[in-house]
Structures are given as structure tokens and as C-alpha cells.
Amino acid sequence: MPSGATAYLSHCDWIQLGSRGLCSSALCRRVSLLCPDSLTFERQALFGLMVWVCFRMFSCIGARMAAMFTCCLGCCGDGGSGHIPLKEMPTVQLDTHHMGTDVVIVKSGRRICGTGGCLANAPLHQNKSYFEFKIQSTGVWGIGVATQKVNLNQVPLGRDTNSLVLRHDGSVYHNNEEKNRLPANSLPQEGDIVGITYDHVELNLYLNGKNMHCPASGIRGTVYPVVYVDDSAILDCQFSDFYHTPPQGFEKILFEQQIF
């Protein structure tokens, strides 16, 4: 006659554990070895019940751990079903939502032509920013920084407190006041690269990688890179992959999420 523990499990384990592929007879033999023969049939049955409950409990824990491990693989792995990719940072470029009505933006937000101004899509939150402009075609143009309150349909910029710009004639204007001027023999020409640094105090200018020692200041608030064109001028913006190495301590424009 089978022990109580063996009798209990031989009745239950096929129903409860058969779907897991466990061998009923093997399980019964193992429980029979564990259960002392000196116990009464009822106590052996109770012992078998306790073994089965413990097995079920640890099976549930194991299943949950396996599910958690699978979830981690799905989230942190290199693709596959259920993989959720991290949201990519947007690219710094000219913002077609903040431009003059007669402005044309092409080359994936890097080239401006037409008439009017345009802001970049990233404010200068970091301490020291650097960006460049290439003069593709001469005419009337200006580059610098501005707040979102600037009138992008009114060129040249630099007429009010909302913009600080270098104009094509070499003058640097803010609030309708000339703040500085490039040397007469250093005016940007077609094909030249003009670099701009901004540290929330001063704006400085670089011509083909050379410091022009032409600082200007005065603008307040949150500012964005700005560029305007007129009279057939065409300019390209370079917010990364620069033509010239940024001055020490300055780097490309970062979105706020990248800074923190």
C-alpha cells in the first residue's frame, strides 16, 4: 500500500503538474524517500500536501523571475519583439516654424535663401556654444543670436533689443546701435566660414577659424542662433561637423535634455 504522501501526490501531480512535463512516478518516489515511514497515513498525506504546496510556490516564483528576465532582455537587448527604442534627440537646424514669410529653407534645414530671417530650433542653454555659417552667395545677410520676440520679416536685424547680429558690411548691431565692427580687410566673402561663440555674456566672431577679436554684448533672455538674407544672398548653417575646430571650452549646441 502506498504511503500517504505518495498516494496524495500520485492523485494530484498529473492534474496540477502534468502540463509542466514532470514525471509523476519519479516525483512520487522522491517524496517517498523524504517521508519517514513511521508517520501515520494521514500525516504522510499531509506531508505530501506540504511538499506539493512548496513546489507550487517555488514554481510560481521561478516563473515570475523568468518573466522579469525576459522583459529585461526585451527592453535592453538589441532589438526583437517588444523592444522599445530610445527616443532620438532632434537635429539642430533652422526652424521653419520661426521664420519670415518670404524665407525659403532647404537642404534639411541647413540653407536659407529668399528674404527675411529664421531662428534655429534649439535655444542656447549651455554655457558656451559654437556654430558656423558659410557664405554661399553674397548679398544682404546677417548672423548672430536673437530671442523669439524678434521680427523675422524686418531686415536687417539688430534694430531692437531682441537681436544681436553681424551684418554683411562687418558691423555688429544690437538695439539699433553699432556694438563693434570687423576690420575693413576682414569682411566675409563668398565661400568664407564665419564662426560664432556665445557664452551668455559676449558674442565673438571667427573668420575661417581666425579670432576676429570683435566681441559684442547686450542682449538678454533666452536666445537662439539667427540668420537673415536678402538681395540674393544664400547662407548655409553648420551646427555640427564644423569646418573649423571650436575654440577651447566651446562646443556644438546641445538640447536641454542632452545637457542634464
Side-chain angles (χ1 to χ4, degrees), residues 1-10 28 31-32 35-37 40-41 44-45:
M1 182 174 179
S3 69
T6 305
Y8 180 83
L9 285 174
S10 62
C28 290
V31 172
S32 296
C35 183
D37 293 334
T40 64
F41 181 86
Q44 288 180 10

Side-chain angles (χ1 to χ4, degrees), residues 13-14 16-27 30 55 59:
D13 59 350
W14 274 111
Q16 302 292 342
L17 309 174
S19 61
R20 300 178 184 270
L22 297 175
C23 176
S24 174
S25 59
L27 184 60
R30 288 170 183 168
F55 180 85
S59 296

Side-chain angles (χ1 to χ4, degrees), residues 152-259:
L152 295 170
N153 289 305
Q154 187 180 48
V155 297
L157 300 184
R159 298 181 180 184
D160 56 28
T161 59
N162 295 313
S163 58
L164 171 63
V165 297
L166 166 68
R167 295 177 176 176
H168 69 281
D169 63 359
S171 61
V172 182
Y173 265 78
H174 170 67
N175 198 22
N176 210 30
E177 177 185 348
E178 184 174 311
K179 293 291 187 177
N180 214 327
R181 178 175 285 270
L182 293 177
N185 60 349
S186 299
L187 299 183
Q189 304 297 319
E190 189 170 301
D192 283 343
I193 309 297
V194 182
I196 293 179
T197 60
Y198 184 71
D199 62 4
H200 296 274
V201 178
E202 281 187 349
L203 179 147
N204 276 279
L205 302 166
Y206 296 76
L207 182 61
N208 298 322
K210 181 181 179 181
N211 190 345
M212 291 290 96
H213 301 286
C214 185
S217 59
I219 193 168
R220 297 288 183 268
T222 301
V223 298
Y224 298 71
V226 68
V227 54
Y228 69 83
V229 291
D230 196 7
D231 195 23
S232 302
I234 300 174
L235 271 70
D236 282 357
C237 307
Q238 204 71 23
F239 296 117
S240 61
D241 302 322
F242 301 119
Y243 292 98
H244 301 281
T245 304
Q248 185 175 4
F250 290 85
E251 59 181 340
K252 68 179 182 179
I253 300 168
L254 301 175
F255 284 92
E256 190 171 10
Q257 301 95 314
Q258 295 172 299
I259 298 173

Side-chain angles (χ1 to χ4, degrees), residues 39 46 53 64 73 99 105 110-111 129 131 134 139 192 239 250 252:
L39 296 178
L46 180 61
V53 168
R64 290 183 181 181
L73 287 178
M99 68 178 189
I105 303 297
R110 289 185 51 237
R111 175 168 291 179
S129 307
F131 48 100
K134 182 174 183 179
D192 283 343
F239 296 117
F250 290 85
K252 68 179 182 179

